[in-house]
Each structure stands twice: as C-alpha cells, then as structure tokens.
Amino acid sequence: MTVITKTCRVSGKEFIVTDEDQQFYEKMGVPLPTLCPEERMRRRLAFRNERNLYHRKCDLSGKELISNFSPDKPNKVYDQKDWWSDKWDALSYGMDFDFTRPFFDQFEELLKKVPLPHVVGSIDIEESNCRYTNYAGDNKNCYLIFDSDFNEDCQYGEVIKHSKSCLDSSYLKSCELMYGCLDCHSCYNLKYSQDCTNSFDSFFLKNCISCKNCFGCVGLVQKEYYIFNKPFSREEYQNFLKKFVAGKRSAVLDMQKKFEEFSTCFPVKYFHGIQIENSDGDYLSNVKDVHNCFDVGNSRDLHYCDSLYTANDCMDVSSFGEKIELVYESGTVGINCTNIKFCHGIVNNCSDINYSMYCRSSQNLFGCVGIKRGNYTILNKKYTKEEYEFLLPRVIEHMKKTGELGEYFPMKLSPYCYNECMSQEYFPITKEETLKLGLKWFEPETQSHYQGQKIVTPENIIDVDESILKQILTCNNCTKNYKINKMELDFYKNMGIPVPQICSHCRYKVRMKQKNPRQLLERNCSNCSKDIQTTYSNERVEKVYCEECYLKHVY
C-alpha cells in the first residue's frame, strides 16, 4: 500500500490516508473516509452536549429533571432510572427497513421516537447528591462536573478522575484540594497551577514535578521553598506568603498577570506526556503507536482519537474509551466494547454494533436506539440470527448505493443545537454560519434573568458571610446570573480564595483558553531547529523545545 492523498469534501482541505490507516479500514470492512480528521471529529462531537443543563419533565413519569435536553426538544426524554428500567421496551418502536429511503432518514425517524436518557452517567446521581452532573459516574456530593468519574466533593470541573475537594479545575487525576488548576496529576493543595505532577502546597505552578511549598514557579523538578524559580529559606518563604493576601481578589489578579508574563520566559516541551513510544499528539501517557491523539492514556495502536483510556486498535473515537478495541468513528463508547462502528453512547459489554445510539449490553445491532441486552436487531426490530444475517448485507449494499456507508451520522440528526454541543467548543461558528449549514441554533431565554440591583461581592474572602448564599450574583463577563452554594463558600473560606466575579461557565472558558488546541502543526525546535510536530503554533510567544533540548534545560 502507498500513502493516499484525499480532499475533504466539506472543508476542501487535503489529508493523507497512511498505510496503517488503510490496513485498519480493510480490517474493519469500511471504505476510505471522505472527510478530513477534523471534520470527522466535528461530526462526532455534534452528538455530545456535556455542559448545558435545563429544567424539564420526564416524559414517562412527569418528574422534574435536570437534563441536557432543553424542554423544547422534540425527543422523548426519560429519567435515567426509568430509562434503564424495564418500564418500557425499545423493541416496541421497531421499524421495517425501507429500501426506497436513505438509511439516515429512517434512523432520524427512529431517533425522534425512542426515549433518550435525561443525562449520561450513573443511575444513582440523586442518591449520591450529584443531580447537576452529566457524563459523570460513581461520584459523591458533586455539582456541575462533566465527563468526570470517581470523585467526591468536587464542583465546577471537567474531566476530573479519582479526585476529592477540587473546584474550578479541569483534567485532574488523583488530586485533592485543588483550585483553578488544569492538567494536574497526583497533586495536593495547589492553586492556579497547570501541567503539574506530584506537587503539593503551592501557588501558581506550571510544568513542575514533585515540588512542594513553591510559588510562581515554572519547569522545576523536586524543589521546595522556591519563589519565581529562586530558592529561599523556609522562614523567607513563609514571610512572603504572609505578605501575599491570597484571599484578596485584586492581589490574586495582579499575581496571575505577573505569573503569566513570567512563565512566557521559559521554554516549553513540544508536547505534554510521559511514557510514550512511537506516538504523537498531546497530553499522552503510557501509550504506544498512538498518532494524532489527544488526552489519551494507557492505550495502544490508536489514530485520530481523543479523551480515551485503556483503548486498543481504534480510530476516530471521542470520549470514554474504557477497555475498548476495534472501534471506529464513534463517540462515548466504553467498558468492554469491541467491533463498534459509527455509534454513539454504546456501553457495557457490547460487540458487533453499527450505526446505533444509546445501547447497552448488546450484540449484533444495526441502526438501533436504546436497546438493552439485545441481539440481531435492525432499526429496533428483532430478527432471528438467520434473518439478521440475510437482511444485513442487503442494508449495507443499499447504503453503498445511497453513498451513506462509511459516513458518520450527519450533524443535522443530532438532538442538540450546534451551540449546545461540543463541536462548538472545538470548531466554533456563528449563528449565521450554523443556519447556513442547515443546523439548529439554541436561543436561551433571557426574560427570567434577575432584574434587581447588582450585588458587589467583598474584595476579601474574610469579609464574606453566609448572607451571600441568598444573593443572586451577576457575571461580570456574560451578565448571566449565578449563585454561591454552601459547600462552595466553605471551600473558599477554608482555602482562602476570593469569591469569583464571573460565572462558572466563563471561568471554564478562561481555563480552556490555557489548553492548546487539538491540532498538530509543523514547526522547528526553538533551540536546535529540529523539525517537530506540536500543538504550539508559530505565532505563540513561547520558546518550544524538542524533548532532548527541553530535558537538557530542565535537568
């Protein structure tokens, strides 16, 4: 095989199909893609609304819900407990396959009929006090965390795993008492820090390993009592902390600005990751033969994947990825799943499933929605093994003729509006551009916003009392209203952190601006001029070093 160059039929951008890619497509029995990797990711993310939650009622019981489906959506939405129960049967919505119609039209009809779960996650979210979470499981006492699992007492975060008492942080693993942090692992009591490992009791760290009692430091390893990368005695360090009023908002903002300017003076490694063999991308750990992937760990033989853990031999997969193998062009697939193609929301011991959504513990499905413990089913209609094996090749041949085979679900089939889904996070477009593409745009209600006098929160956390819990605050950025809850206030008080003046969503956007885009670019090492692939563009102010040059600089 030789490398094939293709032109994306949507963006017009050229992309290559490597020998390894072609071998994978042949093994999976799918044609070569017609879309570039970015457009393929964009389609997958269009079916994932993580952060937008609404009040609505369960269409089965009438129960009040906090759901990622707004009440104006035409889909039936059931409380997650009812959805996973035996109170209804997805097979009752079965359809005969119509060979006079395109497959996607038939699937769209089915998707609008079959009830969908009100959020994605553990079914005990109310009992565990995690009602305001989504794509989150096995958590306790958590509020507004997303794509996060196995946490306790965490609030306002994304992609947090096995952590406790963390607030306003993203991409944490095995951390505790963290505030305003991003991409940290095995850390304790850090504030305003990024890309740190095994570090403790510190403020404003970046790219530090095994550091303790440090302030405003960049690229240090196994250091203690350092301030802006200079050593101090224990007494000098403690005197410095006494002068820095951590609970005063203006002091924090001034220090953030100073640290940002300071950190740009230091070179950065061209990628973030550890234990990497023959791999490229960003934020990788313990991977081998992983290419063009982002936020991936403990995985092998992946191409064009993001946010996966313990995945092997997959391509074009977004999110979840726990113990999966031979999965192609799918999103939110995980826990012992194999041979899954063009799917979304397929979980728990599934295999041999194509073009399906929200199915569990099933095998041999095609074009299904909401099937539990199913087998040999097409468009939610049950068949015998012989009938299924006779009909499926005819369906596949029909999709070849209509040009649908090998393509992920069109974005217009998504139950979410474009500005609600994760596609807008990574591929933002305007309302006008969205409507021109034939996609939906969500217009939030504004008439219910608080119209009273704007509350000015105290400058210093020591001046804040519990009366703030009854107040409606207004975001200084987007003007939306938000409130402070009791667990949150206790956290600010105990950690000595000023009450934020912007809402949690704007704080999230500030954090994510610090994270590099999921796009590999060509540039040269700023030290030795070696060719490198990196997520740092040439326009960035940082000096970007290859691994060899960076290690020489740090060690």
Side-chain angles (χ1 to χ4, degrees), residues 360-551:
R360 179 178 187 177
S361 304
S362 297
Q363 297 78 38
N364 301 300
L365 308 180
F366 195 101
C368 292
V369 180
I371 298 295
K372 303 182 289 286
R373 300 180 297 278
N375 207 347
Y376 303 119
T377 305
I378 299 175
L379 290 178
N380 282 37
K381 183 174 180 179
K382 174 74 174 175
Y383 294 91
T384 66
K385 180 177 184 292
E386 293 73 22
E387 290 170 334
Y388 180 87
E389 291 177 346
F390 173 77
L391 180 58
L392 185 59
R394 295 181 60 207
V395 171
I396 292 173
E397 188 61 32
H398 174 74
M399 291 182 67
K400 286 181 181 178
K401 292 178 181 178
T402 59
E404 297 170 296
L405 190 71
E407 299 290 328
Y408 195 70
F409 300 105
M411 289 190 290
K412 68 182 183 69
L413 267 63
S414 172
Y416 308 112
C417 299
Y418 190 87
N419 59 324
E420 293 178 298
C421 67
M422 295 302 291
S423 297
Q424 181 71 341
E425 297 275 342
Y426 294 96
F427 307 96
I429 56 177
T430 64
K431 176 182 177 180
E432 291 71 24
E433 291 170 323
T434 300
L435 298 178
K436 189 175 180 180
L437 290 172
L439 305 176
K440 304 181 290 291
W441 185 269
F442 182 74
E443 295 287 359
E445 294 184 5
T446 57
Q447 64 269 23
S448 61
H449 281 193
Y450 173 69
Q451 301 297 320
Q453 182 179 2
K454 183 176 179 180
I455 303 297
V456 179
T457 56
E459 165 83 353
N460 198 318
I461 186 61
I462 63 174
D463 299 320
V464 179
D465 58 37
E466 292 201 358
S467 65
I468 197 173
L469 302 178
K470 299 179 181 179
Q471 296 173 339
I472 299 175
L473 307 182
T474 303
C475 176
N476 282 356
N477 280 358
C478 68
T479 73
K480 290 183 180 178
N481 300 130
Y482 66 103
K483 296 193 72 175
I484 304 296
N485 63 59
K486 181 65 165 60
M487 187 168 75
E488 178 183 0
L489 179 61
D490 290 343
F491 184 92
Y492 295 147
K493 287 281 190 179
N494 294 333
M495 296 282 282
I497 293 168
V499 172
Q501 290 189 306
I502 60 176
C503 68
S504 62
H505 187 68
C506 286
R507 302 195 303 262
Y508 160 76
K509 290 195 289 186
V510 170
R511 286 196 303 278
M512 295 310 290
K513 282 183 179 179
Q514 301 174 55
K515 195 173 175 70
N516 289 6
R518 289 174 171 173
Q519 183 180 12
L520 284 178
L521 305 166
E522 303 287 343
R523 66 173 293 169
N524 301 107
C525 171
S526 301
N527 190 53
C528 71
S529 299
K530 174 183 176 180
D531 291 336
I532 53 176
Q533 278 193 320
T534 179
T535 54
Y536 292 94
S537 68
N538 283 302
E539 290 73 31
R540 297 280 292 264
V541 297
E542 299 94 339
K543 295 179 181 178
V544 181
Y545 282 10
C546 67
E547 186 166 22
E548 292 79 7
C549 291
Y550 182 80
L551 292 177

Side-chain angles (χ1 to χ4, degrees), residues 167-185:
L167 196 147
D168 274 335
S169 298
S170 302
Y171 292 87
L172 303 184
K173 186 176 180 182
S174 302
C175 292
E176 186 172 353
L177 286 178
M178 309 283 283
Y179 180 77
C181 294
L182 179 64
D183 287 302
C184 292
H185 178 240

Side-chain angles (χ1 to χ4, degrees), residues 343-357:
C343 290
H344 177 83
I346 305 300
V347 298
N348 291 342
N349 305 304
C350 289
S351 63
D352 305 302
I353 299 178
N354 295 342
Y355 287 105
S356 298
M357 293 187 184

